[in-house]
Amino acid sequence: MNSVASHKLSARTQLSALLMAGTMLATPVMAQEVAPPTVPAPAPEAAPAATTVKSITVVGNQRLEAQTILSYLRLRVGQQYDRSVLDQALKDLAATELFKDFQITDNAGALQIQVTENPVINRVILEGNKRLKEDKIRPEIKLAPRQIFTRSKVRADVARIIELYKRQGRFAATVEPKMVSLDQNRVDVVFEINEGPKSKVRQINIIGNEKFSDGELKGEMATKQSSLMTILSSNTSYDPDRLAYDQQKLRLFYLSNGYADFRVISAVAELTSNKQDFIITYVVEEGERYKFSDVDVKSEIRDFQPEMLKKLLPMHTGDWYDAKLVEDTVESLSETAGLFGYAFADINPEFRRDPETRTMAITFNVAESPRTYVERIDVNGNTLTHDKVVRREFRLNEGDAFNSFGIKRTESRINSLGYFQENLEIERKEGTTPDRIILETNVEEKPTGELSLSAGFSSIENFLLQASIRQRNFRGLGQQLQASVNYSSYSKSIELGFTEPYLFDRNISVGGSIYRRDLNSFNFINNDRRTTFQQVTTGAQINAGVPLTEFMSFFARYSINFDDVTLDKGIYYFGNECDPLVAGRYLCDAIGNRTTSLLGYTLAYDDRDNRLRPTRGQSLSLSQDFAGLGGSVKYVRTRLSGSKHFNLGSRFILNLSAEGGYIYPFGSRPTPTSDKVRLTDRFFLGEPQMRGFDIRGVGPRVIRYSVNNSDPVNPIVVTDANGDRGQIDDALGGRAYYQGRLELDIPLGTGAKELGLRPSIFLDVGSVFSVRKPALTTLANFFDSADGLTKNLCRNPDTGQQVFATNTPNGDGTPSGQYTTCATANGFTSNLAPFEERFFGDTWMPRVSIGAGVNWNSPFGPFRIDFAYALRKEEGDDTKRFSFNVGTQF
């Protein structure tokens, strides 16, 4: 907001007395123009009815030449004049808008024109504008520095500013123009703006509707009634254009439900007395409901057989009339004509309405048109991206027969690049002859470089931090260059990668990456996390891909990984060896260094309409990885996945997905009792893949329980309140897994949609299984009735040898006190706490959970929250009802 220097404020003159600012409902009305002074009436005896102009002089002019002022008048020396001629001269001076005061003095034919010039504008200042910035207002203002100040221009500018605020829904805004006088006949013009509150739609009334409720009809409108549910929606403000759009929406709704005679009689928006709210009233006439009668197709194109096309029509005799279905059918027939090469097929539906039977007969007339060929392909607007990057996505070439499917596929492929504006469309223009077409692609490039820092918190990883830099259109050739760093409480990684999508300008993609990943695996002891093993992976990967068909692709890859799996020596080691009594044999088998040489491929099919948020289509994928071309790990891992999306209408989207995998190992076991597939190579299942269960909460596991041996004869295994948690809960994973998901996206109202809320309900099914039962360890102080001795398992600190220390009873059966604990045994450590290990969950039987979740594109970043309940689980599974994930960018 600008301000005027303090020494000039005292000179500010309010123009409201002369220029009255208009209200929001009408163009501001300026005060009446200052009436030009009249010519003094000559004495009756001094002058005749007509007099000759003897001379004309101009006084009071400063910037304007006298001759310039005289050029605006019709008076000339020697001209006969009377009172009417002088009146016309005054009107001519007023029309110039160059003078704030002027008069003509007549001295017996000697005319003197006295003028006071309008000031020159020094500055135009806006004050009070917060909602509309100056860069939005100034282009609409016609007043500018060094122009002549005129009241009509001020009036016009006030009206323009008020109109801008009307478009923003601020109908209570006022604009008061003021003037600051300066020296040398200059002024500053100040527009003092009072923006006022945004005018909301308080109420929407609908009169005349009987077939549909007010709520149903309001749901079809873009304008929403102001309420607590729509407090953050921008559609609650009044907009005349939106009012007209809502009338069309109502008409389309009724016509799509068979009411062919429907019309909106009136739509009135009334502004309340405080100018802050609107009340909108629609008066409608529904009319009668119609059905389809005869539906036919007539074609003048030889490749179109009417009998075949008629069988493909979606409407049938007896169905309720649907205008939207008719429009879709016209579009479908046009697309079908485009498949045969007729780019400009003219399809006109002919309607025959019968009010008596309330039926509607339709004939789709397909006019004759020539087959079309692509004459030229033009690409405009790309300044950074090379032409070939866009052209190689075209499914048509110059000289090819036109094909509408190829055009749509081309648009989809170019949009998928992410280099240009969204929803790009290829324009079709007539060529040099009627059978030629020009395809023009006008692109608008957008930044493709990304530098992001993300921070957040999740119920799985706790604190999250991510930094990445990526260029998706490196050198304008469509190449991708990226580097990323990720850090959280339990995982860290760094990766560098490069991808060339078209090697040597052929449709072959190649890429590679190098990476370092640190993973801390953990389990839960009650609600506390406990790190089990640390896995550090250093590796590199190269990959290549080639399309087999329009929707099917083949990818090959090779990677080599160097893994180092370790355990905390302070917790899990005794001496220099992993202690299976503390860690468990399954963890001891996992530690060590190993090299994995992996060769794999993926065969993928994908025809979804959008890979990020699909609404229809399906995807299938088969992947296999072979480990064993060198290295110390040997297995074949196979995965199969698929998904299908259904648009159920009314923005309900159903997603059905399933996947499964199996690892077949080669070679021998690390130990006689261990599984051939190492712990770190197995499949795991749980949150977030399967909601309702904790991270790695499904499948084979070993749980270690405490043992209360206060009664040596009948020791008690101690479990938690649910009977399924012990001291340690270690997930072992499995060789095989499967998972299925059924999820329904539920649409919300406009207000929730604008907030980015996307709720869903889901059903998850899955299991992971097939692992060799590990060697379990049981350690418990017990009473041996055979020899009457209480035995404690002890360990020699020098040799690590595990032995029993015995306590010899006295003659009366009481302990003698000798070797009561291992500490009293010569050279041996103290007792280990008694425990017992149990193995659970190795079954293919499905686990089932149901729940609801919400995705929210919040101002702080993407947020996901889920509530789930496990309908079916196996003994040992870990369930979890609530989970969330949130992050942001800064």
Side-chain angles (χ1 to χ4, degrees), residues 149-219:
F149 171 85
T150 66
R151 284 172 246 172
S152 61
K153 290 181 180 179
V154 174
R155 285 196 299 267
D157 283 348
V158 168
R160 291 188 186 98
I161 295 173
I162 288 177
E163 183 61 30
L164 287 178
Y165 278 98
K166 284 183 179 180
R167 296 174 189 173
Q168 296 291 321
R170 298 182 182 276
F171 283 77
T174 59
V175 180
E176 183 178 356
K178 294 185 178 181
M179 183 173 65
V180 179
S181 298
L182 306 174
D183 56 2
Q184 299 178 357
N185 199 22
R186 295 178 301 126
V187 293
D188 285 342
V189 179
V190 182
F191 292 103
E192 290 190 350
I193 301 172
N194 179 10
E195 296 180 314
K198 206 165 190 178
S199 302
K200 300 289 186 179
V201 176
R202 178 193 297 178
Q203 188 174 346
I204 299 177
N205 300 319
I206 305 175
I207 300 174
N209 56 309
E210 298 179 356
K211 306 299 182 182
F212 298 98
S213 67
D214 286 3
E216 288 179 285
L217 299 182
K218 290 178 183 178

Side-chain angles (χ1 to χ4, degrees), residues 856-875:
W856 178 30
N857 293 328
S858 72
F860 311 102
F863 181 91
R864 172 79 192 190
I865 184 171
D866 288 298
F867 293 90
Y869 176 75
L871 291 178
R872 189 183 187 284
K873 65 176 184 175
E874 293 292 327
E875 186 177 5

Side-chain angles (χ1 to χ4, degrees), residues 510-515 517 539-545 554-562 595-602 624-633 637:
V510 294
S513 62
I514 56 175
Y515 45 84
R517 301 169 183 150
Q541 176 175 296
I542 57 174
N543 53 73
F554 179 84
F555 301 92
R557 57 189 170 272
Y558 174 78
S559 61
I560 184 165
N561 297 323
F562 302 94
T595 303
T596 304
S597 177
L598 204 65
L599 179 65
Y601 75 90
T602 298
Q624 282 192 306
D625 294 286
F626 303 88
L629 300 176
S632 55
V633 179
R637 180 173 58 208

Side-chain angles (χ1 to χ4, degrees), residues 219-240:
E220 295 295 321
M221 298 179 186
T223 303
K224 300 302 176 184
Q225 192 168 292
S226 180
S227 66
L228 290 177
M229 292 296 295
T230 58
I231 189 170
L232 297 178
S233 173
S234 63
N235 288 347
T236 57
S237 60
Y238 172 71
D239 186 341

Side-chain angles (χ1 to χ4, degrees), residues 67-129:
Q67 193 62 35
T68 302
I69 297 175
L70 292 175
S71 68
Y72 295 124
L73 306 177
R74 304 175 190 178
L75 289 173
R76 297 293 182 268
V77 176
Q79 174 185 344
Q80 295 292 317
Y81 72 96
D82 55 16
R83 182 61 177 269
S84 64
V85 174
L86 295 181
D87 287 343
Q88 183 61 46
L90 291 173
K91 292 179 181 179
D92 292 340
L93 288 174
T96 64
E97 294 189 337
L98 297 174
F99 314 104
K100 64 179 179 181
D101 191 17
F102 45 87
Q103 62 181 348
I104 300 176
T105 302
D106 181 11
N107 188 10
L111 302 181
Q112 183 183 72
I113 302 174
Q114 178 77 34
V115 298
T116 302
E117 295 177 348
N118 273 332
V120 174
I121 298 173
N122 180 54
R123 289 187 300 169
V124 178
I125 301 170
L126 301 174
E127 292 184 354
N129 56 306

Side-chain angles (χ1 to χ4, degrees), residues 649-862:
S650 300
R651 295 186 287 120
F652 283 91
I653 306 299
L654 179 66
N655 173 28
L656 176 63
S657 62
E659 61 179 281
Y662 185 79
I663 300 177
Y664 182 81
F666 296 100
S668 59
R669 297 184 178 90
T671 64
T673 59
S674 65
D675 197 278
K676 288 184 177 182
V677 180
R678 292 180 182 267
L679 178 68
T680 53
D681 293 325
R682 298 172 195 161
F683 297 117
F684 291 89
L685 193 60
E687 185 191 354
Q689 303 97 330
M690 190 167 179
R691 293 155 293 190
F693 293 86
D694 214 335
I695 182 171
R696 295 189 289 275
V698 175
R701 61 206 322 101
V702 169
I703 301 179
R704 181 175 291 189
Y705 298 96
S706 299
V707 175
N708 183 344
N709 62 347
S710 57
D711 180 2
V713 178
N714 298 301
I716 302 173
V717 175
V718 181
T719 63
D720 66 359
N722 296 324
D724 58 0
R725 282 282 181 85
Q727 286 183 333
I728 297 176
D729 184 350
D730 282 331
L732 303 185
R735 298 187 189 183
Y737 86 101
Y738 67 86
Q739 180 189 4
R741 175 175 297 175
L742 186 66
E743 188 160 9
L744 178 65
D745 288 343
I746 302 174
L748 294 179
T750 304
K753 184 179 179 182
E754 289 184 353
L755 288 175
L757 294 174
R758 292 189 296 112
S760 64
I761 56 175
F762 55 83
L763 170 71
D764 287 351
V765 179
S767 180
V768 58
F769 54 95
S770 185
V771 67
R772 183 183 177 90
K773 181 178 180 180
L776 303 177
T777 302
T778 299
L779 172 62
N781 295 356
F782 62 96
F783 179 78
D784 190 341
S785 60
D787 54 14
L789 302 179
T790 299
K791 299 182 179 180
N792 294 288
L793 185 60
C794 304
R795 181 183 293 109
N796 187 304
D798 297 323
T799 65
Q801 179 183 5
Q802 297 169 358
V803 298
F804 282 104
T806 60
N807 184 8
T808 305
N810 293 320
D812 58 0
T814 61
S816 65
Q818 183 181 14
Y819 300 141
T820 303
T821 66
C822 291
T824 62
N826 185 26
F828 286 85
T829 63
S830 60
N831 294 353
L832 297 174
F835 66 84
E836 177 179 323
E837 288 184 344
R838 296 181 181 178
F839 177 65
F840 298 104
D842 189 13
T843 174
W844 62 269
M845 294 295 291
R847 281 71 157 178
V848 182
S849 66
I850 60 172
V854 176
N855 275 312
W856 178 30
N857 293 328
S858 72
F860 311 102

